[in-house]
PDB file of all heavy atoms in Angstrom:
ATOM      1  N   ARG A   1       0.844  -1.206  -0.005  1.00  0.00           N
ATOM      2  CA  ARG A   1       0.004   0.005   0.007  1.00  0.00           C
ATOM      3  C   ARG A   1       0.863   1.250  -0.005  1.00  0.00           C
ATOM      4  O   ARG A   1       0.601   2.224  -0.726  1.00  0.00           O
ATOM      5  CB  ARG A   1      -0.912  -0.008   1.233  1.00  0.00           C
ATOM      6  CG  ARG A   1      -1.776   1.235   1.350  1.00  0.00           C
ATOM      7  CD  ARG A   1      -2.657   1.230   2.607  1.00  0.00           C
ATOM      8  NE  ARG A   1      -3.638   0.152   2.521  1.00  0.00           N
ATOM      9  CZ  ARG A   1      -3.651  -0.936   3.284  1.00  0.00           C
ATOM     10  NH1 ARG A   1      -2.688  -1.103   4.205  1.00  0.00           N
ATOM     11  NH2 ARG A   1      -4.583  -1.865   3.159  1.00  0.00           N
ATOM     12  N   ALA A   2       1.926   1.233   0.796  1.00  0.00           N
ATOM     13  CA  ALA A   2       2.829   2.371   0.867  1.00  0.00           C
ATOM     14  C   ALA A   2       3.521   2.592  -0.484  1.00  0.00           C
ATOM     15  O   ALA A   2       3.685   3.723  -0.955  1.00  0.00           O
ATOM     16  CB  ALA A   2       3.876   2.170   1.947  1.00  0.00           C
ATOM     17  N   VAL A   3       3.924   1.503  -1.139  1.00  0.00           N
ATOM     18  CA  VAL A   3       4.560   1.621  -2.473  1.00  0.00           C
ATOM     19  C   VAL A   3       3.592   2.276  -3.447  1.00  0.00           C
ATOM     20  O   VAL A   3       3.986   3.169  -4.236  1.00  0.00           O
ATOM     21  CB  VAL A   3       4.998   0.234  -2.984  1.00  0.00           C
ATOM     22  CG1 VAL A   3       5.383   0.297  -4.447  1.00  0.00           C
ATOM     23  CG2 VAL A   3       6.173  -0.308  -2.153  1.00  0.00           C
ATOM     24  N   ALA A   4       2.327   1.861  -3.434  1.00  0.00           N
ATOM     25  CA  ALA A   4       1.321   2.444  -4.346  1.00  0.00           C
ATOM     26  C   ALA A   4       1.160   3.927  -4.076  1.00  0.00           C
ATOM     27  O   ALA A   4       1.051   4.747  -5.010  1.00  0.00           O
ATOM     28  CB  ALA A   4      -0.017   1.713  -4.217  1.00  0.00           C
ATOM     29  N   ARG A   5       1.151   4.319  -2.807  1.00  0.00           N
ATOM     30  CA  ARG A   5       0.980   5.741  -2.475  1.00  0.00           C
ATOM     31  C   ARG A   5       2.185   6.568  -2.893  1.00  0.00           C
ATOM     32  O   ARG A   5       2.075   7.675  -3.418  1.00  0.00           O
ATOM     33  CB  ARG A   5       0.715   5.883  -0.979  1.00  0.00           C
ATOM     34  CG  ARG A   5      -0.648   5.391  -0.569  1.00  0.00           C
ATOM     35  CD  ARG A   5      -0.924   5.633   0.909  1.00  0.00           C
ATOM     36  NE  ARG A   5      -2.297   5.277   1.239  1.00  0.00           N
ATOM     37  CZ  ARG A   5      -2.800   5.295   2.459  1.00  0.00           C
ATOM     38  NH1 ARG A   5      -2.000   5.633   3.477  1.00  0.00           N
ATOM     39  NH2 ARG A   5      -4.040   4.971   2.685  1.00  0.00           N
ATOM     40  N   LEU A   6       3.388   6.042  -2.626  1.00  0.00           N
ATOM     41  CA  LEU A   6       4.585   6.726  -3.002  1.00  0.00           C
ATOM     42  C   LEU A   6       4.664   6.887  -4.525  1.00  0.00           C
ATOM     43  O   LEU A   6       5.041   7.934  -5.049  1.00  0.00           O
ATOM     44  CB  LEU A   6       5.824   5.995  -2.506  1.00  0.00           C
ATOM     45  CG  LEU A   6       6.038   5.997  -0.973  1.00  0.00           C
ATOM     46  CD1 LEU A   6       7.117   4.998  -0.583  1.00  0.00           C
ATOM     47  CD2 LEU A   6       6.404   7.391  -0.490  1.00  0.00           C
ATOM     48  N   ALA A   7       4.276   5.845  -5.233  1.00  0.00           N
ATOM     49  CA  ALA A   7       4.280   5.913  -6.703  1.00  0.00           C
ATOM     50  C   ALA A   7       3.304   6.971  -7.199  1.00  0.00           C
ATOM     51  O   ALA A   7       3.591   7.695  -8.149  1.00  0.00           O
ATOM     52  CB  ALA A   7       3.920   4.542  -7.291  1.00  0.00           C
ATOM     53  N   SER A   8       2.137   7.078  -6.547  1.00  0.00           N
ATOM     54  CA  SER A   8       1.156   8.070  -6.971  1.00  0.00           C
ATOM     55  C   SER A   8       1.648   9.494  -6.712  1.00  0.00           C
ATOM     56  O   SER A   8       1.191  10.454  -7.370  1.00  0.00           O
ATOM     57  CB  SER A   8      -0.172   7.864  -6.230  1.00  0.00           C
ATOM     58  OG  SER A   8      -0.048   8.210  -4.839  1.00  0.00           O
ATOM     59  N   GLU A   9       2.633   9.635  -5.818  1.00  0.00           N
ATOM     60  CA  GLU A   9       3.235  10.944  -5.536  1.00  0.00           C
ATOM     61  C   GLU A   9       4.435  11.215  -6.427  1.00  0.00           C
ATOM     62  O   GLU A   9       5.093  12.253  -6.253  1.00  0.00           O
ATOM     63  CB  GLU A   9       3.617  11.019  -4.053  1.00  0.00           C
ATOM     64  CG  GLU A   9       2.440  10.949  -3.097  1.00  0.00           C
ATOM     65  CD  GLU A   9       2.869  10.849  -1.644  1.00  0.00           C
ATOM     66  OE1 GLU A   9       4.126  10.834  -1.387  1.00  0.00           O
ATOM     67  OE2 GLU A   9       1.995  10.792  -0.768  1.00  0.00           O
ATOM     68  N   GLY A  10       4.754  10.272  -7.287  1.00  0.00           N
ATOM     69  CA  GLY A  10       5.851  10.481  -8.217  1.00  0.00           C
ATOM     70  C   GLY A  10       7.220  10.102  -7.654  1.00  0.00           C
ATOM     71  O   GLY A  10       8.255  10.469  -8.241  1.00  0.00           O
ATOM     72  N   VAL A  11       7.247   9.373  -6.550  1.00  0.00           N
ATOM     73  CA  VAL A  11       8.517   8.951  -5.935  1.00  0.00           C
ATOM     74  C   VAL A  11       9.083   7.808  -6.756  1.00  0.00           C
ATOM     75  O   VAL A  11       8.390   6.843  -7.066  1.00  0.00           O
ATOM     76  CB  VAL A  11       8.312   8.532  -4.491  1.00  0.00           C
ATOM     77  CG1 VAL A  11       9.616   7.947  -3.892  1.00  0.00           C
ATOM     78  CG2 VAL A  11       7.806   9.701  -3.634  1.00  0.00           C
ATOM     79  N   SER A  12      10.377   7.878  -7.049  1.00  0.00           N
ATOM     80  CA  SER A  12      11.029   6.770  -7.774  1.00  0.00           C
ATOM     81  C   SER A  12      12.275   6.325  -7.000  1.00  0.00           C
ATOM     82  O   SER A  12      12.779   7.039  -6.145  1.00  0.00           O
ATOM     83  CB  SER A  12      11.402   7.192  -9.190  1.00  0.00           C
ATOM     84  OG  SER A  12      12.407   8.211  -9.157  1.00  0.00           O
ATOM     85  N   GLY A  13      12.759   5.138  -7.342  1.00  0.00           N
ATOM     86  CA  GLY A  13      13.905   4.582  -6.656  1.00  0.00           C
ATOM     87  C   GLY A  13      13.506   3.560  -5.618  1.00  0.00           C
ATOM     88  O   GLY A  13      12.330   3.221  -5.481  1.00  0.00           O
ATOM     89  N   CYS A  14      14.466   3.074  -4.883  1.00  0.00           N
ATOM     90  CA  CYS A  14      14.266   1.998  -3.924  1.00  0.00           C
ATOM     91  C   CYS A  14      14.130   2.556  -2.514  1.00  0.00           C
ATOM     92  O   CYS A  14      14.843   3.516  -2.137  1.00  0.00           O
ATOM     93  CB  CYS A  14      15.388   0.995  -3.983  1.00  0.00           C
ATOM     94  SG  CYS A  14      15.097  -0.519  -3.041  1.00  0.00           S
ATOM     95  N   LYS A  15      13.270   1.951  -1.720  1.00  0.00           N
ATOM     96  CA  LYS A  15      13.080   2.308  -0.310  1.00  0.00           C
ATOM     97  C   LYS A  15      13.184   1.052   0.529  1.00  0.00           C
ATOM     98  O   LYS A  15      13.114  -0.077   0.040  1.00  0.00           O
ATOM     99  CB  LYS A  15      11.679   2.944  -0.096  1.00  0.00           C
ATOM    100  CG  LYS A  15      11.398   4.143  -1.012  1.00  0.00           C
ATOM    101  CD  LYS A  15      12.312   5.300  -0.735  1.00  0.00           C
ATOM    102  CE  LYS A  15      12.003   6.459  -1.686  1.00  0.00           C
ATOM    103  NZ  LYS A  15      12.987   7.587  -1.494  1.00  0.00           N
ATOM    104  N   THR A  16      13.318   1.258   1.849  1.00  0.00           N
ATOM    105  CA  THR A  16      13.190   0.179   2.826  1.00  0.00           C
ATOM    106  C   THR A  16      12.168   0.588   3.864  1.00  0.00           C
ATOM    107  O   THR A  16      11.639   1.696   3.798  1.00  0.00           O
ATOM    108  CB  THR A  16      14.549  -0.133   3.529  1.00  0.00           C
ATOM    109  OG1 THR A  16      14.850   0.912   4.456  1.00  0.00           O
ATOM    110  CG2 THR A  16      15.684  -0.286   2.516  1.00  0.00           C
ATOM    111  N   VAL A  17      11.928  -0.283   4.825  1.00  0.00           N
ATOM    112  CA  VAL A  17      10.966   0.053   5.860  1.00  0.00           C
ATOM    113  C   VAL A  17      11.387   1.301   6.644  1.00  0.00           C
ATOM    114  O   VAL A  17      10.558   1.981   7.228  1.00  0.00           O
ATOM    115  CB  VAL A  17      10.769  -1.111   6.850  1.00  0.00           C
ATOM    116  CG1 VAL A  17      10.158  -2.312   6.117  1.00  0.00           C
ATOM    117  CG2 VAL A  17      12.060  -1.535   7.510  1.00  0.00           C
ATOM    118  N   PHE A  18      12.677   1.616   6.655  1.00  0.00           N
ATOM    119  CA  PHE A  18      13.163   2.794   7.357  1.00  0.00           C
ATOM    120  C   PHE A  18      12.683   4.086   6.690  1.00  0.00           C
ATOM    121  O   PHE A  18      12.654   5.140   7.329  1.00  0.00           O
ATOM    122  CB  PHE A  18      14.698   2.806   7.400  1.00  0.00           C
ATOM    123  CG  PHE A  18      15.308   1.715   8.210  1.00  0.00           C
ATOM    124  CD1 PHE A  18      16.567   1.203   7.858  1.00  0.00           C
ATOM    125  CD2 PHE A  18      14.682   1.178   9.317  1.00  0.00           C
ATOM    126  CE1 PHE A  18      17.151   0.193   8.611  1.00  0.00           C
ATOM    127  CE2 PHE A  18      15.255   0.169  10.073  1.00  0.00           C
ATOM    128  CZ  PHE A  18      16.479  -0.332   9.721  1.00  0.00           C
ATOM    129  N   ASP A  19      12.364   4.044   5.445  1.00  0.00           N
ATOM    130  CA  ASP A  19      12.058   5.255   4.668  1.00  0.00           C
ATOM    131  C   ASP A  19      10.569   5.586   4.551  1.00  0.00           C
ATOM    132  O   ASP A  19      10.203   6.591   3.971  1.00  0.00           O
ATOM    133  CB  ASP A  19      12.628   5.104   3.244  1.00  0.00           C
ATOM    134  CG  ASP A  19      14.105   4.740   3.253  1.00  0.00           C
ATOM    135  OD1 ASP A  19      14.854   5.446   3.929  1.00  0.00           O
ATOM    136  OD2 ASP A  19      14.476   3.765   2.589  1.00  0.00           O
ATOM    137  N   VAL A  20       9.696   4.736   5.108  1.00  0.00           N
ATOM    138  CA  VAL A  20       8.266   4.867   4.892  1.00  0.00           C
ATOM    139  C   VAL A  20       7.590   5.357   6.202  1.00  0.00           C
ATOM    140  O   VAL A  20       7.722   4.708   7.249  1.00  0.00           O
ATOM    141  CB  VAL A  20       7.643   3.548   4.446  1.00  0.00           C
ATOM    142  CG1 VAL A  20       6.117   3.682   4.324  1.00  0.00           C
ATOM    143  CG2 VAL A  20       8.245   3.079   3.134  1.00  0.00           C
ATOM    144  N   ALA A  21       6.871   6.459   6.124  1.00  0.00           N
ATOM    145  CA  ALA A  21       6.113   6.934   7.258  1.00  0.00           C
ATOM    146  C   ALA A  21       5.020   5.960   7.638  1.00  0.00           C
ATOM    147  O   ALA A  21       4.382   5.374   6.745  1.00  0.00           O
ATOM    148  CB  ALA A  21       5.490   8.295   6.972  1.00  0.00           C
ATOM    149  N   PRO A  22       4.781   5.705   8.924  1.00  0.00           N
ATOM    150  CA  PRO A  22       3.766   4.708   9.340  1.00  0.00           C
ATOM    151  C   PRO A  22       2.396   4.947   8.744  1.00  0.00           C
ATOM    152  O   PRO A  22       1.662   3.991   8.431  1.00  0.00           O
ATOM    153  CB  PRO A  22       3.764   4.831  10.862  1.00  0.00           C
ATOM    154  CG  PRO A  22       5.133   5.319  11.216  1.00  0.00           C
ATOM    155  CD  PRO A  22       5.503   6.237  10.087  1.00  0.00           C
ATOM    156  N   SER A  23       2.016   6.210   8.545  1.00  0.00           N
ATOM    157  CA  SER A  23       0.676   6.490   8.036  1.00  0.00           C
ATOM    158  C   SER A  23       0.462   5.950   6.632  1.00  0.00           C
ATOM    159  O   SER A  23      -0.684   5.686   6.211  1.00  0.00           O
ATOM    160  CB  SER A  23       0.402   7.998   8.080  1.00  0.00           C
ATOM    161  OG  SER A  23       1.309   8.692   7.239  1.00  0.00           O
ATOM    162  N   TYR A  24       1.573   5.755   5.872  1.00  0.00           N
ATOM    163  CA  TYR A  24       1.470   5.237   4.530  1.00  0.00           C
ATOM    164  C   TYR A  24       1.073   3.760   4.482  1.00  0.00           C
ATOM    165  O   TYR A  24       0.676   3.241   3.457  1.00  0.00           O
ATOM    166  CB  TYR A  24       2.784   5.412   3.758  1.00  0.00           C
ATOM    167  CG  TYR A  24       2.988   6.791   3.193  1.00  0.00           C
ATOM    168  CD1 TYR A  24       3.049   7.915   4.016  1.00  0.00           C
ATOM    169  CD2 TYR A  24       3.095   6.998   1.815  1.00  0.00           C
ATOM    170  CE1 TYR A  24       3.228   9.186   3.480  1.00  0.00           C
ATOM    171  CE2 TYR A  24       3.283   8.226   1.278  1.00  0.00           C
ATOM    172  CZ  TYR A  24       3.345   9.327   2.125  1.00  0.00           C
ATOM    173  OH  TYR A  24       3.539  10.585   1.582  1.00  0.00           O
ATOM    174  N   LEU A  25       1.190   3.097   5.645  1.00  0.00           N
ATOM    175  CA  LEU A  25       0.834   1.673   5.703  1.00  0.00           C
ATOM    176  C   LEU A  25      -0.654   1.453   5.900  1.00  0.00           C
ATOM    177  O   LEU A  25      -1.162   0.364   5.644  1.00  0.00           O
ATOM    178  CB  LEU A  25       1.580   0.987   6.884  1.00  0.00           C
ATOM    179  CG  LEU A  25       3.116   1.152   6.912  1.00  0.00           C
ATOM    180  CD1 LEU A  25       3.665   0.444   8.137  1.00  0.00           C
ATOM    181  CD2 LEU A  25       3.749   0.615   5.658  1.00  0.00           C
ATOM    182  N   SER A  26      -1.344   2.470   6.405  1.00  0.00           N
ATOM    183  CA  SER A  26      -2.727   2.302   6.825  1.00  0.00           C
ATOM    184  C   SER A  26      -3.728   2.757   5.748  1.00  0.00           C
ATOM    185  O   SER A  26      -3.506   3.751   5.091  1.00  0.00           O
ATOM    186  CB  SER A  26      -2.964   3.108   8.102  1.00  0.00           C
ATOM    187  OG  SER A  26      -4.334   3.088   8.480  1.00  0.00           O
ATOM    188  N   PRO A  27      -4.864   2.048   5.656  1.00  0.00           N
ATOM    189  CA  PRO A  27      -5.925   2.542   4.761  1.00  0.00           C
ATOM    190  C   PRO A  27      -6.696   3.693   5.360  1.00  0.00           C
ATOM    191  O   PRO A  27      -7.500   4.298   4.668  1.00  0.00           O
ATOM    192  CB  PRO A  27      -6.817   1.288   4.598  1.00  0.00           C
ATOM    193  CG  PRO A  27      -6.590   0.522   5.863  1.00  0.00           C
ATOM    194  CD  PRO A  27      -5.195   0.745   6.249  1.00  0.00           C
ATOM    195  N   LEU A  28      -6.488   3.993   6.650  1.00  0.00           N
ATOM    196  CA  LEU A  28      -7.200   5.058   7.299  1.00  0.00           C
ATOM    197  C   LEU A  28      -6.627   6.415   6.949  1.00  0.00           C
ATOM    198  O   LEU A  28      -5.426   6.545   6.643  1.00  0.00           O
ATOM    199  CB  LEU A  28      -7.138   4.886   8.842  1.00  0.00           C
ATOM    200  CG  LEU A  28      -7.723   3.581   9.388  1.00  0.00           C
ATOM    201  CD1 LEU A  28      -7.552   3.537  10.899  1.00  0.00           C
ATOM    202  CD2 LEU A  28      -9.187   3.410   9.010  1.00  0.00           C
ATOM    203  N   SER A  29      -7.450   7.429   6.984  1.00  0.00           N
ATOM    204  CA  SER A  29      -6.996   8.796   6.719  1.00  0.00           C
ATOM    205  C   SER A  29      -6.241   9.325   7.919  1.00  0.00           C
ATOM    206  O   SER A  29      -6.288   8.745   9.023  1.00  0.00           O
ATOM    207  CB  SER A  29      -8.208   9.699   6.468  1.00  0.00           C
ATOM    208  OG  SER A  29      -8.979   9.827   7.666  1.00  0.00           O
ATOM    209  N   GLY A  30      -5.528  10.431   7.724  1.00  0.00           N
ATOM    210  CA  GLY A  30      -4.822  11.046   8.835  1.00  0.00           C
ATOM    211  C   GLY A  30      -5.750  11.410   9.974  1.00  0.00           C
ATOM    212  O   GLY A  30      -5.408  11.241  11.160  1.00  0.00           O
ATOM    213  N   GLU A  31      -6.926  11.900   9.631  1.00  0.00           N
ATOM    214  CA  GLU A  31      -7.892  12.282  10.671  1.00  0.00           C
ATOM    215  C   GLU A  31      -8.317  11.076  11.470  1.00  0.00           C
ATOM    216  O   GLU A  31      -8.434  11.112  12.706  1.00  0.00           O
ATOM    217  CB  GLU A  31      -9.096  12.940  10.016  1.00  0.00           C
ATOM    218  CG  GLU A  31      -8.863  14.314   9.419  1.00  0.00           C
ATOM    219  CD  GLU A  31      -8.229  14.251   8.031  1.00  0.00           C
ATOM    220  OE1 GLU A  31      -7.994  13.112   7.529  1.00  0.00           O
ATOM    221  OE2 GLU A  31      -7.929  15.339   7.485  1.00  0.00           O
TER     222      GLU A  31
END
């Protein structure tokens, strides 16, 4: 899910779990 969100933001390249904000893992909104 986080990969899909990062891709939609135009992020390219490789990431690890260290690079992903926890909120990107959740289907819930920030609110």
